[in-house]
Amino acid sequence: MSTHAKLLLRHQRPFIKFWFARVFTASGFQMLAVAIGWHMYELTGSVLDLGLVGLAEFFPRLLFILWTGHVADRFDRRRVAALCQGLQGLIALSLVLGAGGLGITREMIFVLAFLLGTARAFEGPATQALLPSLVPTQLFPAAVAASSSAMQAATIVAPALGGLLFAIGPLWVYGPVALLFALACSLMLSLPKRPAPPKQTGPAMDNLLAGMRFIRSRPDIFGAISLDMFAVLLGGATALLPVFAKDILLTGPWGLGLLRSAPAVGALLMSLWLARYPINKKVGRVMFAAVGVFGVATIAFGLSTSFWFSMGVLVVLGAADMISMVIRGAFVQLETPDAMRGRVSAVNGLFIGASNQLGEFESGLTAHWFGTVPAVVIGGVGTLVVTATWMKLFPTLANRDQLHRDLN
């Protein structure tokens, strides 16, 4: 048996538990996102409110940025992640009670979106920092792709399922979501306990800001995560999918679910390819090319009036985004010391949150100002401008050949 095969077998069981925990968490969140988005649009008919939901989910990342990574580096990462998954399960139960007779209001959705964002803000750094301890360094790039495939597999099935179940009734969505988070919590707690993290010394504020200083001192890391933030911030159209589904492509909740699933189809296929054939050469140029394709696909989606063409370009968009995500995620984690991975992941999570949840707010706001289609097209053009600008600002990143370099 080869050394590579022995390593895979040795670390197989913990990683499989981790993988399924990610599947259940991602499935629960995606089903919630579809249900909450459609629910809000049915209640208010406002594209701005759809953007405000994204803002409510993003705000905790900004509010707690100094603490999320500190908690991940200071406490048992398994327990931190499990606690956050439990909180998300309670949010789903609250929606069960609301849909069961107490009623769900616009204000209630905003509050629950804030709590959901809080849970995910603390869960993200703990989960990201946990993965490197489950597999050896030489297997980590493949593990990142495989872990990402868990997210994308869930994102393919869960939004479509959530849309179909919501068409039957909200209770049919929120109940299963609570169960998924409970399963994820149980699996996370069953992972092997890791050695206690080293005690942090020095002023508390210095420890809290260490992740920011580390990222700023590494131009390639800073360039990669800021590229993702600005490109997806401008190019993200997720918040407007309920508008496209209902008013432009003329489908119902089932169509919204399929549209939300489409990027994950491309991302899953690409993650499976990358797990088998990792990118080891010219990683900088490949990443920038992928972000450029993301921008072009966003423009094509904004101009489309065909449901199936829209599905197709969203598949391409998801595949391009996965290439960028795997490259960025692998070398950020590999070039960060374990004792700092939580704090660095927290800062990275802020950038990701800004590109996703804050991007949803940006999409809702620009759609309110200019209209839905112009907002998406303008965002896609903005992504292309950012890509070209970042290639000039971060030449070492654009010309980076290897995914991982030894720390000095």
Side-chain angles (χ1 to χ4, degrees), residues 29-44:
F29 175 72
Q30 291 295 333
M31 291 173 71
L32 270 183
V34 169
I36 287 175
W38 191 269
H39 215 137
M40 177 63 87
Y41 196 56
E42 276 194 333
L43 283 174
T44 70

Side-chain angles (χ1 to χ4, degrees), residues 53-369:
V53 170
L55 183 63
E57 289 183 19
F58 167 74
F59 186 63
R61 292 184 184 272
L62 185 62
L63 183 63
F64 302 118
I65 178 60
L66 293 178
W67 296 101
T68 54
H70 177 75
V71 168
D73 284 338
R74 179 66 181 84
F75 300 100
D76 186 339
R77 291 164 181 164
R78 302 170 311 139
R79 294 184 182 276
V80 172
L83 180 63
C84 294
Q85 291 156 358
L87 175 58
Q88 291 172 83
L90 291 176
I91 291 169
L93 285 177
S94 299
L95 289 165
V96 168
L97 295 175
L102 297 180
I104 297 176
T105 65
R106 173 179 180 269
E107 291 73 21
M108 178 182 178
I109 290 176
F110 284 138
V111 171
L112 292 179
F114 177 84
L115 293 175
L116 182 63
T118 300
R120 289 175 62 80
F122 281 90
E123 179 191 11
T127 303
Q128 292 176 36
L130 182 62
L131 179 56
S133 66
L134 298 177
V135 295
T137 299
Q138 57 267 45
L139 298 181
F140 187 68
V144 171
S147 178
S148 297
S149 73
M151 302 288 289
Q152 303 311 324
T155 309
I156 291 172
V157 177
L161 180 60
L164 289 171
L165 292 177
F166 194 91
I168 300 173
L171 281 174
W172 286 85
V173 181
Y174 299 132
V177 166
L179 177 60
L180 287 171
F181 281 119
L183 291 172
C185 179
S186 176
L187 284 171
M188 194 62 67
L189 290 174
S190 71
L191 292 175
K193 187 173 182 179
R194 315 308 302 179
K199 186 176 181 180
Q200 296 170 12
T201 60
M205 186 55 66
D206 284 349
N207 286 325
L208 292 173
L209 295 173
M212 294 183 180
R213 287 197 299 268
F214 180 85
I215 287 177
R216 191 65 188 90
S217 70
R218 302 269 176 160
D220 284 5
I221 293 178
F222 179 69
I225 64 176
S226 59
L227 169 68
D228 177 81
M229 183 185 77
F230 286 108
V232 181
L233 171 65
L234 295 171
T238 305
L240 301 179
L241 288 181
V243 185
F244 276 91
K246 187 175 184 180
D247 299 335
I248 297 176
L249 303 176
L250 305 178
T251 67
W254 65 272
L256 173 60
L258 290 176
L259 288 173
R260 288 193 67 104
S261 297
V265 173
L268 176 61
L269 293 174
M270 183 56 67
S271 67
L272 294 175
W273 176 268
L274 294 176
R276 180 67 179 86
Y277 302 103
I279 299 172
N280 296 315
K281 296 290 184 181
K282 298 181 179 179
V283 295
R285 293 190 180 278
V286 171
M287 183 177 67
F288 276 102
V291 177
V293 171
F294 180 92
V296 172
T298 299
I299 296 171
F301 174 76
L303 296 174
S304 172
T305 57
S306 163
F307 177 76
W308 294 110
F309 181 78
S310 296
M311 289 277 290
V313 294
L314 287 176
V315 170
V316 174
L317 181 149
D321 190 42
M322 174 55 60
I323 295 173
S324 173
M325 184 191 311
V326 168
I327 292 175
R328 184 187 68 254
F331 81 73
V332 168
Q333 290 293 331
L334 287 174
E335 296 201 355
T336 302
D338 183 66
M340 288 186 60
R341 280 193 175 118
R343 283 163 288 176
V344 170
S345 294
V347 180
N348 190 27
L350 176 65
F351 279 71
I352 294 171
S355 64
N356 292 324
Q357 282 78 43
L358 194 56
E360 292 181 9
F361 173 67
E362 179 271 338
S363 296
L365 189 62
T366 53
H368 180 70
W369 287 342

